[in-house]
Amino acid sequence: AQSVTQPDIHITVSEGASLELRCNYSYGATPYLFWYVQSPGQGLQLLLKYFSGDTLVQGIKGFEAEFKRSQSSFNLRKPSVHWSDAAEYFCAVGAREYGNKLVFGAGTILRVKS
Amino acid sequence: EAGVVQSPRYKIIEKKQPVAFWCNPISGHNTLYWYRQNLGQGPELLIRYENEEAVDDSQLPKDRFSAERLKGVDSTLKIQPAELGDSAVYLCASSKLPGLAEETQYFGPGTRLLVL
């Protein structure tokens, strides 16, 4: 069965520092990979997605993610964090073999300190 | 373009009472999803519609949950009777094309349910 692991429940970084959020997946098929962000009281907003091609994907708000098949990882990065980036981040995996079904990780809560 | 609309935003009920949630997807989106997000967890799919047809309801607890999407536009998710463990955020999402895993799902703000 497919699964997604986000090892870090909470991460705290200083404003202006770099950020990396980890995501590992277990999937029997060729995966489609997504990162979503959820601010308090808001729905999930797509940051970026990977289907094929270049394994480094650029997203909105200055985020990027790198797909590493050998490590079954899709880590999210940002070179310089802003206070407005404080939110919860979810990695999700899908595959054509499973229709449109997305399997989400448990999320990582990002805190930004000034 | 308006996003996915959900109502109510918050609902507090006593256990054994019924409750219903409403979702209006983005105009032109054929696929509609209902997810449940428990505290500290990621969303889990309950049911997926392609137009009027429920194509994946394998995760829907059918003894107490029901859903409908009449006319292939807006949708209602119902719980009857509610249990304490149903306290969660219920998220609705939509995407434009059916059957494609790469399609972006757009999420509404959710309905936060508290069962006392």
Side-chain angles (χ1 to χ4, degrees):
Chain A
Q2 58 270 37
S3 66
V4 179
T5 302
Q6 294 181 246
D8 304 303
I9 299 175
H10 298 97
I11 282 186
T12 300
V13 299
S14 299
E15 191 169 14
S18 63
L19 170 70
E20 182 170 30
L21 302 181
R22 296 182 291 166
C23 173
N24 294 97
Y25 66 91
S26 173
Y27 229 62
T30 301
Y32 298 102
L33 298 157
F34 304 79
W35 274 100
Y36 281 86
V37 60
Q38 186 177 36
S39 298
Q42 303 295 316
L44 283 78
Q45 180 184 22
L46 180 70
L47 287 175
L48 47 80
K49 58 185 180 182
Y50 170 79
F51 299 136
S52 64
D54 193 346
T55 55
L56 185 62
V57 181
Q58 301 298 319
I60 62 172
K61 304 184 180 184
F63 286 91
E64 66 178 27
E66 186 171 12
F67 171 57
K68 293 185 178 180
R69 185 183 298 275
S70 61
Q71 298 177 19
S72 297
S73 69
F74 188 56
N75 294 347
L76 182 71
R77 300 194 295 247
K78 186 170 184 177
S80 178
V81 169
H82 188 262
W83 64 267
S84 61
D85 293 324
E88 189 161 16
Y89 292 79
F90 292 92
C91 179
V93 180
R96 286 187 174 175
E97 288 77 0
Y98 302 107
N100 310 53
K101 180 177 180 178
L102 287 181
V103 176
F104 284 83
T108 297
I109 297 172
L110 172 65
R111 298 188 178 117
V112 180
K113 59 181 181 180
S114 56
Chain B
E1 176 182 86
V4 176
V5 179
Q6 291 188 247
S7 69
R9 293 293 308 276
Y10 305 92
K11 190 74 175 179
I12 301 174
I13 61 171
E14 295 189 346
K15 63 181 181 182
K16 301 184 182 180
Q17 295 300 306
V19 64
F21 314 124
W22 177 81
C23 171
N24 189 262
I26 293 173
S27 177
H29 281 199
N30 297 305
T31 307
L32 183 146
Y33 314 76
W34 282 104
Y35 288 86
R36 178 169 59 189
Q37 185 177 17
N38 293 315
L39 189 64
Q41 303 288 324
E44 294 179 319
L45 182 69
L46 291 174
I47 189 168
R48 172 168 65 95
Y49 282 93
E50 291 182 5
N51 300 306
E52 306 85 19
E53 183 182 359
V55 296
D56 184 357
D57 63 354
S58 57
Q59 300 295 103
L60 189 72
K62 297 180 182 66
D63 56 335
R64 296 183 300 106
F65 286 65
S66 64
E68 61 182 12
R69 190 183 184 198
L70 301 176
K71 300 181 182 179
V73 182
D74 55 350
S75 176
T76 302
L77 177 69
K78 299 179 181 178
I79 308 174
Q80 183 170 9
E83 296 180 352
L84 296 177
D86 296 330
S87 296
V89 176
Y90 291 83
L91 294 165
C92 180
S94 68
S95 62
K96 191 168 187 179
L97 298 176
L100 296 179
E102 58 265 42
E103 273 287 289
T104 297
Q105 295 183 26
Y106 296 86
F107 285 80
T111 296
R112 186 175 297 273
L113 174 67
L114 178 61
V115 182
L116 302 176

